[in-house]
């Protein structure tokens, strides 16, 4: 049976990608989920996995070719079955199939951002449940967000391949269903349900009275957002000892801070089936638990840690951008005393509307106006074509404990400064709390990187994604300047660094657009004329 594997969408709303390297050749025998190629797009490089088992009979393109999503990549000669379904599950491993139903396997989806793996934070279904297509079945957490995943099938859940708390790679099996794809609650027989319940693990011991303060992660795994893990690591706190009060047993930042302050006792250990078997009988007194040994820090010893998925994606993207784009950076500054005064005048007015008015909001608005006047800086290069974007979508680089994120202000050219300021605050908060969604980080056409808040000055920011310009925003510094009367006075200079893609933008155009941006920042009144 011949099967054709087509170019998948590996996230970020990808339309195309480069086949950087083939990992198979004609004649190779591959199994389902074997890596077959390395694919690179504007943001990352990752391996793609085979959805079929069989012999490779044809590679449709050569390494180095740009391929659109949905275009054929590999032809196989085989039965098309993968490792997850080639062997019939034993009666002990999974429940008996329901009469007249078809077995479907739901594999771990890529929920965006080039995700390689995710944690099954919580199952929303159990063996024997009847689910419909698009019902939520699990909560999946990665380094960027937590979100529910929906069932692609209708039917009865006959097997959960992993426990809650397990880290699962994209493409790995999650759920086995028995149904025709549109099953009703009557699809499973009572015998099948009974077998499913018999095959499921024995329930854990009864929860203690203070169950809300007991760890509930599977097999002792701590459920916590990356920001919480980072805080605990920085303060030397063992998360397994912290009582969890969050939803579904998640450890919150407040839990960690309360534990560090000594306001709560260490969490009780989780009862597992294995622990229940090994536990002493009621007639025998349980031995007193030993306190865990305190970590011993060795002076001068190096520490080696694996990169997080987020840091790997950042590293790959930065390397690709820096290697492939002939970038030029222009350094400049603008005297912004009028801007400082304008913000001081309207800061309280903004606060009454629950808006924090920052200099970044002014710069975002000014850059949007500049992009409308100079469309070359709001463009992308696609092969030998230039795409001039109709909308100005400004990415704002936001630093978080787990890495750098770039949420996007959509249609910034049509929004007021107060609206932009509010969106910046909301997006930055979503990044810091780990609730940012993939769609909120897509579609940037030009980007701002702000190190002014860290008292930084000039720097050389790296162009983001498919953009051709990134504006580096430095701090506002009081410095001596010469005014129009030739007098030396104290001015307030904002440092600016604009990096642009020299394939499209030459130095004269780059500086001309920067000069226009400076004129808007020097006197905010000019921005009102640009609305």
């Amino acid at each position: 049976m011949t099967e054709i594997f087509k170019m998948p969408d590996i996230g970020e709303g990808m339309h195309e990608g480069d086949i950087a390297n083939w990992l198979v050749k004609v004649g190779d025998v591959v199994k389902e989920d074997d890596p077959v190629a390395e694919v690179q797009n504007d943001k990352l490089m990752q391996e793609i996995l085979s959805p079929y088992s069989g012999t490779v009979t044809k590679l449709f393109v050569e390494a180095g070719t740009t391929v659109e999503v949905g275009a054929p990549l590999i032809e196989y000669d085989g039965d098309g079955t993968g490792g997850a379904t080639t062997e019939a599950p034993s009666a002990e491993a999974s429940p008996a199939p329901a009469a007249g139903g078809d077995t479907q396997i739901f594999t771990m989806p890529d929920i965006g951002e080039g995700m390689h793996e995710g944690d099954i934070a919580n199952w929303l279904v159990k063996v024997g449940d009847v689910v419909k297509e698009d019902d939520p079945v699990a909560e999946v957490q990665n380094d960027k967000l937590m979100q529910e995943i929906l069932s692609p099938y209708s039917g009865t859940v006959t097997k959960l391949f992993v426990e809650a708390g397990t880290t699962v790679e994209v493409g790995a099996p999650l759920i086995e269903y028995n149904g025709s794809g549109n099953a009703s609650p009557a699809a499973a027989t009572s015998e099948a349900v009974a077998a499913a319940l018999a095959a499921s693990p024995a329930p854990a011991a009864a929860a203690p009275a203070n169950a809300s303060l007991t760890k509930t992660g599977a097999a002792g795994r701590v459920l916590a957002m990356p920001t919480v893990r980072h805080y605990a690591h920085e303060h030397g706190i063992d998360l397994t000892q912290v009582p969890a009060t969050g939803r579904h047993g998640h450890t919150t930042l407040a839990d960690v801070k309360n534990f560090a302050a000594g306001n709560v006792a260490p969490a009780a250990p989780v009862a597992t089936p294995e622990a229940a078997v090994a536990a002493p009988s009621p007639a025998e007194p349980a031995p007193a638990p030993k306190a865990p040994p305190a970590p011993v820090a060795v002076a001068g010893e190096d520490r080696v840690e694996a990169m997080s998925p987020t840091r790997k994606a950042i590293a790959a993207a930065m390397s690709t951008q820096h290697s492939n784009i002939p970038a030029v950076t222009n350094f400049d500054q603008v005297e912004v005393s009028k801007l400082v005064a304008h913000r001081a005048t309207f800061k309280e007015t903004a606060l009454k509307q629950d808006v924090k008015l920052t200099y970044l909001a002014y710069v975002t608005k000014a850059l949007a106006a500049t992009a409308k006047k100079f469309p070359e800086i709001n463009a992308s290069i696609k092969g030998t074509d230039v795409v001039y974007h109709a909308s100005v979508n400004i990415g704002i680089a936001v630093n978080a404990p787990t890495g750098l994120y770039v949420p996007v202000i959509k249609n910034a050219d049509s929004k007021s400064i107060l609206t932009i300021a509010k969106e910046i605050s909301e997006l930055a908060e979503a990044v810091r709390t780990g609730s940012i969604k993939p769609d909120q980080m897509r579609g940037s056409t030009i980007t701002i990187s702000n190190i002014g808040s860290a008292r930084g000055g000039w720097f050389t920011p790296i162009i983001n994604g498919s953009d051709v310009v990134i504006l580096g925003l430095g701090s506002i510094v009081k410095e001596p300047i010469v005014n129009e009367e030739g007098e030396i006075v104290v001015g307030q200079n904002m440092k600016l660094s604009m990096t642009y893609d020299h394939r499209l933008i030459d130095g004269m155009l780059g500086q001309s657009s920067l000069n226009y941006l400076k004129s808007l920042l020097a006197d905010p009144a000019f921005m009102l004329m640009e609305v």
Side-chain angles (χ1 to χ4, degrees), residues 104-410:
Q104 302 280 0
I105 303 295
F106 176 30
T107 58
M108 181 71 164
D110 180 349
I111 58 176
E113 292 302 309
M115 185 183 92
H116 297 282
E117 63 184 17
D119 293 346
I120 302 298
N122 186 46
W123 282 115
L124 305 179
V125 296
K126 62 183 182 296
V127 172
D129 283 356
V130 176
V131 298
K132 296 180 179 179
E133 184 177 356
D134 291 334
D135 280 354
V137 291
E139 289 181 329
V140 174
Q141 173 182 315
N142 64 8
D143 277 341
K144 292 192 175 182
L145 72 159
M146 165 106 64
Q147 74 179 64
E148 293 180 345
I149 54 174
L150 307 181
S151 173
Y153 308 115
S154 296
T156 302
V157 176
T158 52
K159 183 176 182 180
L160 300 178
F161 286 88
V162 298
E163 295 182 354
T166 305
T167 300
V168 182
E169 293 186 353
V170 171
L174 290 181
I175 304 174
E176 179 184 80
Y177 301 82
N178 186 258
S180 60
N182 54 358
S184 65
T189 63
S190 58
E191 291 83 358
V193 175
L197 295 175
S200 60
N210 61 341
S212 62
L213 296 178
T214 303
K215 299 303 294 180
T216 57
R221 185 179 180 87
V222 176
L223 303 180
M225 298 300 291
T227 50
V228 178
R229 295 179 185 276
H230 179 81
Y231 181 89
H233 177 76
E234 288 294 311
H235 292 79
I237 298 171
D238 182 1
L239 281 177
T240 61
Q241 298 297 307
V242 179
T245 62
R247 184 169 175 257
H248 302 309
H250 277 71
T251 302
T252 66
L253 187 58
D255 293 337
V256 178
K257 290 181 177 180
N258 286 335
F259 180 80
N263 296 333
V264 292
V270 181
T272 62
E274 292 82 357
V277 173
S281 64
E284 302 175 4
K290 295 182 179 180
V296 179
V298 180
E301 183 177 339
D302 294 341
R303 184 178 77 251
V304 178
E305 293 182 356
M307 281 187 177
S308 68
T310 301
R311 181 47 55 183
K312 287 179 184 177
I314 293 172
M318 293 299 100
S319 298
T320 298
Q321 298 294 94
H322 189 65
S323 300
N324 294 340
I325 296 177
V328 177
T329 303
N330 288 8
F331 304 110
D332 213 328
Q333 63 184 12
V334 55
E335 208 286 317
V336 291
S337 292
K338 291 183 179 179
L339 173 61
V340 172
H342 189 278
R343 175 176 176 266
T345 300
F346 292 98
K347 186 176 179 181
E348 291 301 322
T349 302
L351 283 175
K352 291 178 182 177
Q353 302 179 43
D354 293 326
V355 176
K356 183 180 180 182
L357 186 58
T358 62
Y359 293 115
L360 182 57
Y362 285 93
V363 175
T364 302
K365 180 63 179 178
L367 183 60
T370 304
K372 296 298 288 186
K373 187 173 182 66
F374 297 88
E376 293 87 353
I377 72 172
N378 192 55
S380 298
I381 297 175
K382 188 174 182 180
T384 56
D385 296 329
V386 179
V387 179
Y388 296 95
H389 300 293
S391 300
V392 181
N393 301 330
I394 299 184
I396 306 293
V398 178
N399 188 54
T402 52
L404 190 66
Y405 298 78
V406 187
V408 179
I409 306 292
K410 306 287 178 64

Side-chain angles (χ1 to χ4, degrees), residues 27-113:
D28 283 356
V29 177
V30 299
K31 295 181 180 180
E32 184 182 5
D33 292 336
D34 280 354
V36 292
E38 291 180 327
V39 174
Q40 175 178 313
N41 65 9
D42 283 334
K43 293 197 174 181
L44 72 157
M45 180 183 293
Q46 73 177 66
E47 292 181 347
I48 55 174
L49 309 180
S50 173
Y52 308 114
S53 297
T55 302
V56 176
T57 54
K58 183 177 181 179
L59 300 178
F60 285 89
V61 297
E62 296 181 355
T65 305
T66 300
V67 183
E68 292 187 352
V69 171
L73 290 182
I74 305 175
E75 179 184 81
Y76 300 83
D77 182 26
D79 59 7
T81 58
T85 56
T86 51
E87 297 181 5
S90 66
E92 294 181 357
S94 62
D102 298 325
T103 298
Q104 302 280 0
I105 303 295
F106 176 30
T107 58
M108 181 71 164
D110 180 349
I111 58 176
E113 292 302 309

Side-chain angles (χ1 to χ4, degrees), residues 453-471:
S453 57
R455 310 306 300 165
W458 290 297
F459 62 113
T460 54
I462 295 177
I463 294 172
N464 176 52
S466 60
D467 301 352
V468 294
V469 167
I470 183 169
L471 177 67

